[in-house]
Amino acid sequence: MSFSYNVKSELSHHFGNARHCNIAELAAVLNMCGHIAYNREKICVKIQTENPVAARKYFTLLKKTFNIDSEVLIRRNSQLKKNRVYMLFINSDEQARKVLQACGILIAENGREILNRRIDELVVNSVCCKRAYIRGAFLASGSISDPEKMYHLEFACLDRLYSEGLRDLINSFGLDAKIVQRKEHFVVYLKEGEQIVDLLNIMEAHKALMDLENIRILKDMRNNVNRKVNCETANLSKTVNA
């Protein structure tokens, strides 16, 4: 399994002790990979993912937080036949409204309901909820490169304003996340190993954090040995030439 899959697998087993943290995590999931449709003035919510551990967590979050047994469908990806797509549906209008309102996505403005596909300040009002939101965003649309090769962690967003809000939320922990546009996506990313370690700690992926730290230590040791060998080789060459 990839390092990114292992991080998501660890995060999928982490549940907040407080209901408001679970709501914050669900809000991130709905904003990143949720599809909301109106049908004859009714609302239907679909959450789609190719990651089975993520699908399992979404189902459990809905059950634990709102006592909703969402409908689950599994289909083959038409483009990648080997991959399965997991789809969770909230078909009840009442339940869908309840979830979206709690997550700050369905709000009342000027006497009418509108969809707010932004990070609601009330949902991430406390530090623990900010951590939960970032955790949900990574589980839904994040990835991390194999640290043996390079240090790179990113969140793929479809909307520039939303990506700016997510970047600011991450940077509120003293990090320096940046945004780059890649085709139709706006990617929030970190490229420094130390900052990626800090973000894993923020998301409470402690096992992945330790694995990454061990890799960083070994890489630093190898680099130091290589530098010393190169320096000594250069000095010997100068001595021989002299």
Side-chain angles (χ1 to χ4, degrees):
M1 295 295 180
S2 67
F3 190 81
S4 188
Y5 183 90
N6 291 339
V7 174
K8 291 189 176 186
S9 181
E10 182 179 356
L11 295 178
S12 71
H13 292 92
H14 187 287
F15 290 91
N17 295 323
R19 185 173 185 269
H20 50 79
C21 291
N22 291 335
I23 289 174
E25 192 165 350
L26 266 174
V29 170
L30 289 167
N31 273 320
M32 298 293 274
C33 63
H35 304 272
I36 303 166
Y38 286 91
N39 181 18
R40 296 179 181 177
E41 297 184 352
K42 292 185 178 181
I43 299 178
C44 174
V45 175
K46 179 179 76 171
I47 304 173
Q48 182 171 311
T49 179
E50 293 183 1
N51 191 323
V53 296
R56 191 180 303 115
K57 181 166 190 183
Y58 303 160
F59 182 90
T60 307
L61 277 173
L62 288 167
K63 179 65 177 177
K64 287 184 63 174
T65 313
F66 296 100
N67 197 28
I68 293 174
D69 289 318
S70 52
E71 180 184 349
V72 182
L73 292 179
I74 304 174
R75 292 180 180 173
R76 292 283 183 183
N77 190 321
S78 58
Q79 295 177 341
L80 302 171
K81 294 183 180 180
K82 293 182 180 180
N83 288 10
R84 292 180 177 180
V85 177
Y86 300 85
M87 292 176 286
L88 284 76
F89 292 90
I90 307 174
N91 291 316
S92 165
D93 178 72
E94 181 182 354
Q95 291 180 335
R97 288 178 185 275
K98 182 180 178 181
V99 172
L100 294 176
Q101 288 169 357
C103 292
I105 296 174
L106 185 66
I107 62 174
E109 188 174 279
N110 298 326
R112 62 189 184 94
E113 289 182 332
I114 63 169
L115 291 177
N116 172 41
R117 303 308 292 262
R118 300 287 181 268
I119 301 175
D120 190 280
E121 292 183 0
L122 293 176
V123 172
V124 292
N125 191 39
S126 60
V127 174
C128 60
C129 291
K130 290 178 181 178
R131 288 173 177 267
Y133 195 99
I134 295 171
R135 183 166 58 245
F138 184 84
L139 196 60
S141 190
S143 64
I144 181 170
S145 300
D146 183 352
E148 290 279 6
K149 299 176 181 177
M150 63 183 296
Y151 298 128
H152 184 86
L153 183 149
E154 68 179 39
F155 302 79
C157 311
L158 289 172
D159 181 86
R160 175 181 287 278
L161 290 176
Y162 180 81
S163 69
E164 291 172 352
L166 181 60
R167 175 202 60 194
D168 294 343
L169 184 65
I170 293 170
N171 290 346
S172 68
F173 288 92
L175 302 181
D176 187 27
K178 294 181 172 61
I179 299 174
V180 64
Q181 185 171 358
R182 188 187 300 153
K183 295 183 179 179
E184 73 274 14
H185 288 94
F186 298 91
V187 179
V188 181
Y189 69 92
L190 292 167
K191 293 187 74 71
E192 293 183 14
E194 186 176 348
Q195 294 210 3
I196 292 174
V197 167
D198 289 341
L199 188 63
L200 290 174
N201 185 45
I202 289 166
M203 296 190 296
E204 299 180 82
H206 300 305
K207 184 180 181 300
L209 184 155
M210 294 303 297
D211 292 341
L212 179 54
E213 281 287 48
N214 288 335
I215 293 170
R216 288 182 68 212
I217 291 169
L218 290 174
K219 287 177 72 173
D220 287 343
M221 287 178 62
R222 285 198 297 264
N223 291 337
N224 287 333
V225 169
N226 289 336
R227 277 195 294 269
K228 288 180 180 179
V229 170
N230 291 337
C231 184
E232 289 178 2
T233 302
N235 288 338
L236 285 171
S237 297
K238 289 180 182 177
T239 302
V240 170
N241 290 334

